[in-house]
Amino acid sequence: MSGPVMMGHLILERFARKELPRIPEPDLIMSDPQKVEAFMESGREDGILAFLYLFHLLQVAPIIREGDRVLDLACGPGNQLAQIARLNPRAHFIGVDASANMLERAGITLARSGIANVQLRHGDIRDLHDFAPRSFDGVMCTMSLHHLPDIASLQRAMAAAARVLKPNGGIYIADFGRLRRRGTQEFFANDNAAYQLPEFTRDYLNSLRAAFSFDELSAAIAQLNAAVTMHSTALAPFMIVAKSKPRRELDSVTQQSIKNIFSQMNAEQQRNFVVLSRWFRSAGLALPVNF
């Protein structure tokens, strides 16, 4: 993230009054092999999004307990899910996605990592009819809701999640927020274009254009009927997080495992992680582990 230039865009965002219209993604289900491969590559341990995956891992860790059954909505190629499942070997995870290609990649990711506490299911997150009411201790969804075609679909997805979630279950939902300026959207999509595949850059821009607003996400997530706190990055809602209260304290082994992931990142990944963490901390969302 280019600090000074980014700050300039954020200040302009802060004073922009007119909200941009939402533009749904051209491919609501990511089935193009090149796009799937680009997305999977970006989320590898040494990929450009490694810092973002670590941030979500840190935020979701306190809401998962031993023995929990956790549902990952729109799990994609499984990079984030694999990382969380590895950190919580005594919990069981089910990842649901509408793209058969994504699930195939997720299976490869899990097998490569030797992870056995994850089950993958092909399905629509707006339905979840295969799962019984109150059958999950936790529900998570990271950077996927913007793939839905419209607000009605967003409402349906959150209603479906509410049906399968147990009372007082853990919740972690993160996604892009809709920015107010085309220039800001294009800045974030192209900021690291030199280090990412062109297919990823195009999909990144489409994702930002398809993002729901803070109010739209808040209204949909309210259906979960839980004590969820909403956070967005300071100055502009580049990213929005909905998180329930912690359900456990992170033990020293878990904390050290997370710190080891950070230490294995390159300098650019570490810098991006620090920038994002500070950006959220300024809006009241701190990290549960000190670095």
Side-chain angles (χ1 to χ4, degrees):
M1 294 183 181
S2 304
V5 179
M6 183 180 77
M7 183 57 66
H9 280 285
L10 295 181
I11 292 172
L12 291 173
E13 280 284 331
R14 183 68 179 83
F15 293 101
R17 296 183 178 181
K18 188 176 180 180
E19 189 170 272
L20 290 171
R22 179 176 185 262
I23 303 175
E25 292 196 343
D27 299 317
L28 298 177
I29 297 177
M30 192 179 290
S31 56
D32 185 295
Q34 287 185 316
K35 290 184 178 181
V36 172
E37 183 65 24
F39 189 76
M40 184 175 182
E41 288 293 329
S42 68
R44 292 187 187 277
E45 290 82 355
D46 57 349
I48 194 170
L49 292 183
F51 76 96
L52 181 59
Y53 283 67
L54 177 58
F55 178 83
H56 294 318
L57 175 68
L58 268 162
Q59 295 296 346
V60 77
I63 73 167
I64 299 175
R65 300 186 295 200
E66 285 190 13
D68 275 356
R69 189 168 183 253
V70 181
L71 178 64
D72 184 11
L73 302 173
C75 64
N79 294 315
Q80 182 77 78
L81 178 55
Q83 198 176 55
I84 293 172
R86 185 188 298 114
L87 190 70
N88 298 275
R90 293 184 175 87
H92 181 72
F93 298 83
I94 295 181
V96 176
D97 203 279
S99 169
N101 284 347
M102 279 292 190
L103 290 176
E104 180 181 359
R105 292 295 184 179
I108 294 172
T109 299
L110 296 170
R112 186 185 69 233
S113 303
I115 293 172
N117 58 331
V118 175
Q119 180 183 3
L120 300 174
R121 297 275 194 94
H122 185 265
D124 189 334
I125 66 171
R126 295 170 292 185
D127 193 325
L128 302 179
H129 64 275
D130 289 339
F131 305 113
R134 300 185 175 187
S135 56
F136 287 96
D137 303 284
V139 170
M140 64 182 192
C141 182
T142 55
M143 315 309 293
S144 296
L145 292 179
H146 62 272
H147 291 294
L148 294 168
D150 48 40
I151 294 177
S153 295
L154 174 65
Q155 292 280 352
R156 283 179 56 197
M158 293 299 95
R163 184 184 68 83
V164 302
L165 183 65
K166 293 179 181 178
N168 301 314
I171 298 166
Y172 183 76
I173 297 171
D175 207 346
F176 295 116
R178 190 156 73 248
L179 297 165
R180 293 178 179 269
R181 300 177 61 253
R182 295 284 185 215
T184 311
Q185 292 177 343
E186 291 175 0
F187 162 75
F188 279 112
N190 290 280
D191 186 30
N192 290 302
Y195 309 102
Q196 60 200 30
L197 294 174
E199 292 83 2
F200 179 83
T201 301
R202 288 194 294 269
D203 187 62
Y204 194 170
L205 181 57
N206 287 335
S207 295
L208 291 173
R209 290 173 173 172
F212 293 100
S213 70
F214 184 91
D215 291 342
E216 290 165 348
L217 285 169
S218 297
I221 291 170
Q223 296 179 87
L224 293 169
N225 296 319
V228 175
T229 303
M230 300 290 299
H231 301 271
S232 69
T233 45
L235 294 180
F238 167 72
M239 195 176 297
I240 297 169
V241 164
K243 184 180 178 181
S244 59
K245 295 179 180 179
R247 300 171 68 238
R248 66 154 173 156
E249 293 287 335
L250 298 185
D251 57 79
S252 59
V253 174
T254 299
Q255 291 190 39
Q256 189 57 52
S257 296
I258 293 172
K259 290 180 180 179
N260 289 342
I261 295 173
F262 178 80
S263 67
Q264 293 166 10
M265 289 180 172
N266 62 41
E268 181 67 14
Q269 291 168 340
Q270 290 182 351
R271 189 179 73 86
N272 285 339
F273 175 82
V274 170
V275 170
L276 181 64
S277 300
R278 288 176 176 171
W279 197 1
F280 264 113
R281 187 176 62 191
S282 298
L285 181 62
L287 295 176
V289 175
N290 292 322
F291 285 82

